[in-house]
Amino acid sequence: MLTRAITGLFFVIVLIGALLLGEVVFTLFFSLVGLGALYEFYGIVKSEANRPNVWLGMLSALTLAILIGLHCIGYIPFKYVWLFIPTISLIFIVSLFQKRALPFNDIGYTLLGIMYACIPFLFFVALGFISGTFNHYIPLGFLIILWANDTGAYLSGRSFGKHKLFERISPNKTWEGFIGGVLFAMLIALNLEQYFGSLAKWEWVTMAAIIGIFGTLGDLVESMLKRSLNVKDSGNILPGHGGLLDRFDGLLLAAPLVFLFLLMLQ
């Protein structure tokens, strides 16, 4: 428990520090987290039947992360982001030479890893630039709301939880915890406009609803992934907390949807 608490505190300090140290550190840090999460994904899905092309998958994700980072910071126009497409093509072409019995299993898991484990972090990076210039308050608010949802869900579930949410996937999650988490996240979001500005109050609250609902579903999806692979944690980089996918599971579905919501308001 002490190890978990110390790791959690250090984890929060590092995340907030990455947000406050400027656009370059923010972009670089969360892009690297996305690459680390992708590497974890490849590690847990790898088997005799499924062998994702780790290095080409990592190369594709790295190329995409660099191009999106350069675009967000203002060095290149968006059209250059599509230059990552040749690396995707290589994933298919290289499989022709590998003589695997189920090549499309390998291709599928390689591409799924990029889409599921890495790209959500690039959407999170893009949240910092959604208004046209770097604004750390929006991704910081995202994380605060996500943590508020987790806290509210835990406390509500412990106090009132009776009806299971998805028992076959996560036996401890309840509808009461789910609803309590979303409501607490929305309550916290009501106050963010006062301290952070950047968005209108209703936009913060809507953002909280998206994070609360899809953050919980993202958690369940990651649990489903681990159960299907019969693994307890996605990794061990964070003592007491597991891996990066374990720690950021709520972000994986929520970040792209929050970005889409805010983009539609521009």
Side-chain angles (χ1 to χ4, degrees), residues 200-241:
K201 187 167 292 187
W202 76 269
E203 292 171 339
W204 280 115
V205 173
T206 304
M207 180 172 159
I210 295 171
I211 293 171
I213 294 169
F214 290 96
T216 301
L217 292 173
D219 186 335
L220 289 166
V221 168
E222 201 254 352
S223 295
M224 179 173 65
L225 171 67
K226 291 189 295 185
R227 281 185 175 273
S228 69
L229 298 171
N230 197 30
V231 297
K232 183 177 184 296
D233 296 317
S234 65
N236 55 13
I237 193 171
L238 300 169
H241 291 265

Side-chain angles (χ1 to χ4, degrees), residues 5 25 94 108 123 128 141 149 155 160 167 184 188 190 215 228 249 265:
V25 173
V94 167
F123 275 107
N149 178 68
L155 295 176
F160 310 109
E167 188 170 9
F184 188 61
I188 294 298
L190 277 172
S228 69
D249 49 12
L265 299 177

Side-chain angles (χ1 to χ4, degrees), residues 158-173:
R158 284 288 298 266
S159 301
F160 310 109
K162 292 182 180 179
H163 302 89
K164 300 298 183 182
L165 186 58
F166 278 95
E167 188 170 9
R168 67 183 176 85
I169 294 174
S170 185
N172 295 325
K173 281 188 168 50

Side-chain angles (χ1 to χ4, degrees), residues 109-224:
Y109 274 108
T110 304
L111 297 177
L112 176 62
I114 297 169
M115 182 175 69
Y116 171 70
C118 183
I119 286 180
F121 289 95
L122 303 184
F123 275 107
F124 183 76
V125 167
L127 278 177
F129 301 87
I130 192 74
S131 59
T133 57
F134 180 60
N135 180 355
H136 68 271
Y137 285 118
I138 295 177
L140 178 58
F142 181 104
L143 292 178
I144 290 172
I145 291 169
L146 187 63
W147 296 333
N149 178 68
D150 290 343
T151 302
Y154 174 77
L155 295 176
S156 299
R158 284 288 298 266
S159 301
F160 310 109
K162 292 182 180 179
H163 302 89
K164 300 298 183 182
L165 186 58
F166 278 95
E167 188 170 9
R168 67 183 176 85
I169 294 174
S170 185
N172 295 325
K173 281 188 168 50
T174 62
W175 278 102
E176 292 82 1
F178 171 62
I179 294 169
V182 174
L183 291 177
F184 188 61
M186 294 173 72
L187 178 64
I188 294 298
L190 277 172
N191 297 286
L192 291 181
E193 188 272 338
Q194 178 182 352
Y195 297 104
F196 288 1
S198 306
L199 301 174
K201 187 167 292 187
W202 76 269
E203 292 171 339
W204 280 115
V205 173
T206 304
M207 180 172 159
I210 295 171
I211 293 171
I213 294 169
F214 290 96
T216 301
L217 292 173
D219 186 335
L220 289 166
V221 168
E222 201 254 352
S223 295
M224 179 173 65

Side-chain angles (χ1 to χ4, degrees), residues 2-16 241:
L2 179 61
T3 299
R4 181 179 175 85
I6 293 172
T7 302
L9 177 62
F10 178 74
F11 175 76
V12 169
I13 292 172
V14 169
L15 291 186
I16 293 176
H241 291 265

Side-chain angles (χ1 to χ4, degrees), residues 17-78:
L19 281 161
L20 299 180
L21 288 174
E23 59 184 19
V24 174
V25 173
F26 166 72
T27 302
L28 182 61
F29 177 81
F30 283 98
S31 297
L32 288 174
V33 171
L35 292 170
L38 175 60
Y39 191 75
E40 277 188 359
F41 177 87
Y42 288 152
I44 62 175
V45 302
K46 186 176 181 180
S47 67
E48 185 58 36
N50 308 310
R51 289 187 185 176
N53 193 318
V54 176
W55 298 113
L56 273 181
M58 295 294 292
L59 175 63
S60 297
L62 175 62
T63 302
L64 181 58
I66 290 171
L67 293 171
I68 286 179
L70 290 174
H71 168 67
C72 287
I73 294 172
Y75 286 111
I76 61 173
F78 184 76

